[in-house]
Amino acid sequence: MDKDGKYLKRGVDYPIIQGKRTLPGKYYHDEKIYQQELEKIYYKFWIYACRAEEIPSSGDFKLIQVGDESIILVRDKSMKINALFNVCRHRGTQLCTEPKGNFSSKSILCPYHAWAYELDGKLLGAPLMKEENGFHKDNFTLHKAHVHEWEGFLFISLATTPEPFEVQMEALMGKFSEWNMAELRIAHHIRYELNCNWKLILQNYQECYHCPGVHPLLSQLTPFQSAQHDSSKGAVIGGFMELTKERGSMTMDGEAAAPPVYDVSGDDLQRVYYYSVFPNMLLTPHPDFVMYHHITPLGTGKIVNDCYWLFHPEIINDKQAQKGIISAVEFWDLTNKQDWTVCEQMQTGTKSMRFDRGYYSGREDILYALDQELLKALGHDNPEEDGE
Ligand code: FES
Ligand SMILES: [Fe+2]
């Protein structure tokens, strides 16, 4: 917002930002910088992991890949969710390789020498090992990461002492409570495997300068000049765009896919919000559903992007309502693929020996803010020289 409390408009009348340059190309390709990102961001910040509804029962688990680390997100007997490092305390073997499932024995068994752990990480038993000579089961609990649930979304932090969730996610606190997202359910999921750096997806998500050319259909439903941002500092940045169609939504025909969810009302009935939850989640609440992306970096130029659609459970179970869900999924799948194409081309282009740094237009000011957040986290004061 500006000093008078008005929203800043990212429109055609906004001038080019003097001297605001993009990140140098090495930030998308350099292995050293990627390792710094893992250490200083992915192993430190709160990062998105999965929905609580994905592990609803005792024993349910899902593996979460964070850089070189694997975390078992598991619901224990008391229904508490634990984030356990997927590493045996005996000799370091990876305990679990299934991406998700249920520990039906209610324990986690190491495949090597059969040490067994409870679902809260405590060592249950180690064959032939007596509790003597300094070996005490209590000292061999699996290492744990921190877990925080917000609106049905589970976040984890691998830091020993993370910053409080509410501090990192300040701009999210109290935001979107009308959607009652904890009660929404996954209606659809598409996994995209992409050849680009994770940051290019965040950048792409936060500007609509590319929309007229890349997304002709989206531009009819929400004109790119309607983009406004209401949080432009810190780990959570975002804003909204206005829907052209009265009570419409982002679907193939622009009609709402379902009635508004829970208490969504007033201006929010005509808005689609775009929030990047740095570093690995993009949250898009519509009046009638919520779409979100979960980004998993797998290298400098490789990511998995899991895209989910959340709907009201009654809509998911209503046969008549399936058309709306399909239309929302089709629209975003089409739009996503249009975005992925340009992101992958940017990944290739920024590797050129002739590319050093680009220039931000006035409609990309929030990307500059995003870059500053990254550089601050990395401790880079001079991006042209840092990371060498
Ligand atoms: S490494 Fe796990 S029991 Fe030996
Ligand atoms: Fe786009």
Side-chain angles (χ1 to χ4, degrees):
M1 287 197 209
D2 68 13
K3 58 181 171 29
D4 299 315
K6 291 208 188 81
Y7 289 119
L8 293 175
K9 202 155 192 164
R10 279 181 284 169
V12 281
D13 51 342
Y14 221 58
I16 192 160
I17 311 170
Q18 292 302 323
K20 297 277 198 305
R21 306 283 307 267
T22 69
L23 293 170
K26 65 183 176 184
Y27 279 80
Y28 312 114
H29 304 283
D30 188 300
E31 189 56 40
K32 252 187 286 165
I33 292 179
Y34 178 67
Q35 287 306 324
Q36 290 176 8
E37 289 173 344
L38 292 184
E39 276 161 37
K40 297 187 176 177
I41 298 170
Y42 279 88
Y43 298 160
K44 216 170 135 189
F45 277 54
W46 286 101
I47 55 167
Y48 177 63
C50 84
R51 289 276 296 172
E53 64 175 292
E54 293 180 73
I55 46 171
S57 311
S58 159
D60 285 349
F61 73 88
K62 185 170 181 187
L63 287 195
I64 308 296
Q65 191 69 33
V66 188
D68 297 325
E69 299 292 341
S70 169
I71 302 294
I72 309 172
L73 212 52
V74 57
R75 205 179 277 272
D76 66 24
K77 282 186 217 149
S78 66
M79 299 302 276
K80 188 174 167 258
I81 294 166
N82 300 292
L84 308 171
F85 279 78
N86 190 6
V87 180
C88 181
R89 293 296 310 271
H90 176 214
R91 278 169 53 197
T93 302
Q94 189 169 63
L95 295 163
C96 177
T97 53
E98 289 296 314
K100 60 183 180 180
N102 181 279
F103 294 115
S104 50
S105 60
K106 302 290 179 257
S107 63
I108 305 169
L109 189 67
C110 179
Y112 208 165
H113 313 93
W115 281 29
Y117 300 88
E118 290 195 58
L119 301 183
D120 63 0
K122 281 198 201 82
L123 180 61
L124 263 174
L128 308 177
M129 296 272 294
K130 282 205 186 111
E131 291 222 60
E132 59 187 16
N133 299 330
F135 174 71
H136 295 291
K137 282 194 285 190
D138 288 355
N139 297 336
F140 290 84
T141 299
L142 294 176
H143 291 295
K144 284 187 183 182
H146 300 266
V147 185
H148 187 96
E149 183 171 347
W150 175 79
E151 299 284 4
F153 294 102
L154 298 174
F155 290 82
I156 57 172
S157 172
L158 275 53
T160 321
T161 321
E163 183 176 48
F165 181 83
E166 295 75 11
V167 174
Q168 185 187 319
M169 304 297 186
E170 196 188 344
L172 268 191
M173 297 301 101
K175 189 90 191 162
F176 306 128
S177 49
E178 295 82 0
W179 274 257
N180 201 6
M181 287 193 248
E183 296 303 319
L184 300 183
R185 291 293 172 265
I186 296 170
H188 200 78
H189 163 221
I190 298 180
R191 170 164 284 199
Y192 303 97
E193 292 177 12
L194 307 177
N195 294 314
C196 71
N197 186 274
W198 64 277
K199 300 184 292 299
L200 294 186
I201 301 292
L202 269 80
Q203 292 175 4
N204 171 272
Y205 181 77
Q206 277 303 341
E207 53 92 358
C208 214
Y209 181 29
H210 70 272
C211 292
V214 175
H215 307 304
L217 180 55
L218 178 142
S219 299
Q220 285 172 28
L221 305 183
T222 47
F224 77 102
Q225 298 97 324
S226 73
Q228 301 190 30
H229 46 80
D230 48 19
S231 168
S232 54
K233 259 209 318 251
V236 179
I237 60 170
F240 60 85
M241 290 177 71
E242 275 156 28
L243 292 156
T244 25
K245 222 174 233 182
E246 181 83 8
R247 294 291 172 99
S249 191
M250 305 301 268
T251 56
M252 291 308 283
D253 57 7
E255 298 295 337
V261 288
Y262 292 101
D263 301 326
V264 174
S265 63
D267 289 346
D268 290 342
L269 294 172
Q270 287 305 125
R271 288 178 179 176
V272 183
Y273 286 87
Y274 295 90
Y275 268 61
S276 343
V277 184
F278 187 83
N280 74 331
M281 184 200 204
L282 308 172
L283 183 64
T284 316
H286 303 59
D288 47 342
F289 67 97
V290 174
M291 191 264 290
Y292 66 94
H293 296 274
H294 174 197
I295 301 163
T296 306
L298 299 175
T300 54
K302 216 169 170 40
I303 62 163
V304 164
N305 191 349
D306 287 293
C307 183
Y308 295 87
W309 287 259
L310 299 177
F311 277 81
H312 193 292
E314 278 173 18
I315 296 295
I316 296 174
N317 294 324
D318 178 357
K319 274 205 185 113
Q320 307 296 323
Q322 299 310 299
K323 225 176 95 204
I325 298 179
I326 292 167
S327 187
V329 170
E330 235 180 274
F331 170 81
W332 275 116
D333 184 41
L334 170 80
T335 306
N336 286 341
K337 285 174 180 156
Q338 292 165 340
D339 279 328
W340 308 158
T341 303
V342 286
C343 287
E344 291 189 329
Q345 284 182 228
M346 186 169 162
Q347 181 72 16
T348 309
T350 53
K351 209 171 180 180
S352 164
M353 66 169 82
R354 287 288 180 269
F355 178 76
D356 54 358
R357 300 179 78 170
Y359 298 84
Y360 282 129
S361 78
R363 297 177 203 121
E364 295 162 305
D365 46 350
I366 208 160
L367 272 61
Y368 184 77
L370 197 65
D371 292 347
Q372 299 318 299
E373 187 62 22
L374 176 97
L375 296 171
K376 191 175 89 188
L378 293 178
H380 290 185
D381 299 325
N382 182 350
E384 281 176 24
E385 284 168 17
D386 285 323
E388 299 295 337

CSV table of all heavy atoms in Angstrom, one decimal, residues 204-205 207-208 210-211 214-215 218 332 335-336 338-340 342, ligand 2:
chain,number,residue,atom,x,y,z
A,204,ASN,N,7.1,-16.0,-11.9
A,204,ASN,CA,6.1,-16.1,-12.9
A,204,ASN,C,4.7,-15.9,-12.3
A,204,ASN,O,3.8,-15.2,-12.8
A,204,ASN,CB,6.1,-17.5,-13.6
A,204,ASN,CG,5.0,-17.7,-14.5
A,204,ASN,OD1,3.9,-18.3,-14.0
A,204,ASN,ND2,5.1,-17.4,-15.7
A,205,TYR,N,4.5,-16.4,-11.0
A,205,TYR,CA,3.2,-16.4,-10.3
A,205,TYR,C,2.9,-14.9,-9.9
A,205,TYR,O,1.7,-14.6,-9.8
A,205,TYR,CB,3.4,-17.3,-9.1
A,205,TYR,CG,2.1,-17.4,-8.3
A,205,TYR,CD1,1.0,-18.2,-8.7
A,205,TYR,CD2,2.1,-16.7,-7.0
A,205,TYR,CE1,-0.1,-18.3,-7.8
A,205,TYR,CE2,0.9,-16.8,-6.2
A,205,TYR,CZ,-0.1,-17.6,-6.6
A,205,TYR,OH,-1.2,-17.7,-5.8
A,207,GLU,N,3.6,-11.9,-11.3
A,207,GLU,CA,3.3,-10.8,-12.2
A,207,GLU,C,2.4,-11.3,-13.3
A,207,GLU,O,2.4,-12.4,-13.7
A,207,GLU,CB,4.7,-10.3,-12.8
A,207,GLU,CG,5.6,-11.3,-13.4
A,207,GLU,CD,5.4,-11.5,-14.9
A,207,GLU,OE1,4.5,-10.8,-15.5
A,207,GLU,OE2,6.1,-12.3,-15.5
A,208,CYS,N,1.6,-10.3,-13.8
A,208,CYS,CA,0.7,-10.6,-14.9
A,208,CYS,C,1.0,-9.8,-16.2
A,208,CYS,O,0.2,-9.6,-17.1
A,208,CYS,CB,-0.7,-10.4,-14.5
A,208,CYS,SG,-1.9,-11.6,-15.2
A,210,HIS,N,3.0,-10.8,-18.2
A,210,HIS,CA,3.0,-11.8,-19.3
A,210,HIS,C,1.6,-12.3,-19.7
A,210,HIS,O,1.5,-13.0,-20.7
A,210,HIS,CB,3.9,-13.0,-18.9
A,210,HIS,CG,3.2,-13.9,-17.8
A,210,HIS,ND1,3.4,-13.6,-16.4
A,210,HIS,CD2,2.5,-15.0,-17.9
A,210,HIS,CE1,2.7,-14.5,-15.7
A,210,HIS,NE2,2.1,-15.4,-16.6
A,211,CYS,N,0.6,-11.9,-19.0
A,211,CYS,CA,-0.7,-12.5,-19.2
A,211,CYS,C,-1.3,-12.3,-20.6
A,211,CYS,O,-1.8,-13.2,-21.2
A,211,CYS,CB,-1.7,-12.1,-18.1
A,211,CYS,SG,-1.2,-12.8,-16.5
A,214,VAL,N,0.7,-14.6,-23.0
A,214,VAL,CA,0.8,-16.1,-22.6
A,214,VAL,C,-0.6,-16.7,-22.3
A,214,VAL,O,-0.8,-17.9,-22.6
A,214,VAL,CB,1.8,-16.2,-21.4
A,214,VAL,CG1,1.8,-17.7,-21.0
A,214,VAL,CG2,3.2,-15.7,-21.8
A,215,HIS,N,-1.5,-15.9,-21.7
A,215,HIS,CA,-2.8,-16.5,-21.2
A,215,HIS,C,-3.9,-15.7,-21.8
A,215,HIS,O,-4.6,-14.9,-21.1
A,215,HIS,CB,-2.9,-16.3,-19.7
A,215,HIS,CG,-1.7,-16.9,-18.9
A,215,HIS,ND1,-1.3,-18.2,-19.1
A,215,HIS,CD2,-0.9,-16.3,-18.0
A,215,HIS,CE1,-0.3,-18.4,-18.2
A,215,HIS,NE2,-0.1,-17.3,-17.6
A,218,LEU,N,-7.2,-16.5,-19.7
A,218,LEU,CA,-7.1,-15.9,-18.3
A,218,LEU,C,-7.3,-14.3,-18.4
A,218,LEU,O,-8.0,-13.7,-17.6
A,218,LEU,CB,-5.8,-16.2,-17.7
A,218,LEU,CG,-5.5,-15.6,-16.3
A,218,LEU,CD1,-4.7,-16.6,-15.4
A,218,LEU,CD2,-4.7,-14.3,-16.3
A,332,TRP,N,-7.0,-24.3,-15.1
A,332,TRP,CA,-5.7,-24.0,-14.5
A,332,TRP,C,-4.7,-24.9,-15.0
A,332,TRP,O,-3.5,-24.6,-15.1
A,332,TRP,CB,-5.8,-24.1,-12.9
A,332,TRP,CG,-6.2,-22.8,-12.3
A,332,TRP,CD1,-7.4,-22.6,-11.6
A,332,TRP,CD2,-5.6,-21.6,-12.4
A,332,TRP,NE1,-7.4,-21.3,-11.3
A,332,TRP,CE2,-6.3,-20.6,-11.8
A,332,TRP,CE3,-4.4,-21.2,-13.0
A,332,TRP,CZ2,-6.0,-19.3,-11.6
A,332,TRP,CZ3,-4.0,-19.8,-12.9
A,332,TRP,CH2,-4.8,-18.9,-12.2
A,335,THR,N,-3.6,-23.1,-18.1
A,335,THR,CA,-2.8,-21.9,-17.7
A,335,THR,C,-1.5,-22.3,-17.2
A,335,THR,O,-0.5,-21.7,-17.5
A,335,THR,CB,-3.6,-21.1,-16.7
A,335,THR,OG1,-4.9,-20.8,-17.2
A,335,THR,CG2,-2.9,-19.8,-16.3
A,336,ASN,N,-1.4,-23.3,-16.3
A,336,ASN,CA,-0.2,-23.8,-15.8
A,336,ASN,C,0.8,-24.2,-16.9
A,336,ASN,O,2.0,-23.7,-16.9
A,336,ASN,CB,-0.4,-25.0,-14.9
A,336,ASN,CG,-1.0,-24.7,-13.6
A,336,ASN,OD1,-1.0,-23.6,-13.1
A,336,ASN,ND2,-1.6,-25.7,-12.9
A,338,GLN,N,0.9,-23.2,-19.9
A,338,GLN,CA,1.4,-22.0,-20.6
A,338,GLN,C,2.5,-21.3,-19.9
A,338,GLN,O,3.5,-20.9,-20.4
A,338,GLN,CB,0.2,-21.0,-20.8
A,338,GLN,CG,-0.9,-21.5,-21.7
A,338,GLN,CD,-2.2,-20.7,-21.6
A,338,GLN,OE1,-2.5,-20.0,-20.6
A,338,GLN,NE2,-3.0,-20.8,-22.7
A,339,ASP,N,2.3,-21.3,-18.5
A,339,ASP,CA,3.4,-20.7,-17.7
A,339,ASP,C,4.7,-21.6,-17.7
A,339,ASP,O,5.8,-21.1,-17.8
A,339,ASP,CB,2.9,-20.6,-16.2
A,339,ASP,CG,2.0,-19.4,-16.0
A,339,ASP,OD1,2.3,-18.4,-16.7
A,339,ASP,OD2,1.1,-19.4,-15.2
A,340,TRP,N,4.5,-22.9,-17.6
A,340,TRP,CA,5.7,-23.8,-17.5
A,340,TRP,C,6.5,-23.6,-18.8
A,340,TRP,O,7.7,-23.7,-18.7
A,340,TRP,CB,5.3,-25.3,-17.3
A,340,TRP,CG,4.4,-25.6,-16.2
A,340,TRP,CD1,3.6,-26.7,-16.1
A,340,TRP,CD2,4.1,-24.9,-15.0
A,340,TRP,NE1,2.8,-26.7,-15.0
A,340,TRP,CE2,3.1,-25.6,-14.3
A,340,TRP,CE3,4.5,-23.7,-14.5
A,340,TRP,CZ2,2.6,-25.2,-13.0
A,340,TRP,CZ3,4.0,-23.2,-13.2
A,340,TRP,CH2,3.1,-24.0,-12.5
A,342,VAL,N,7.0,-21.0,-20.7
A,342,VAL,CA,7.9,-19.8,-20.6
A,342,VAL,C,9.0,-19.9,-19.5
A,342,VAL,O,10.1,-19.4,-19.7
A,342,VAL,CB,7.1,-18.4,-20.6
A,342,VAL,CG1,6.5,-18.1,-21.9
A,342,VAL,CG2,6.1,-18.4,-19.5
B,2,FE,FE,1.1,-17.0,-15.9
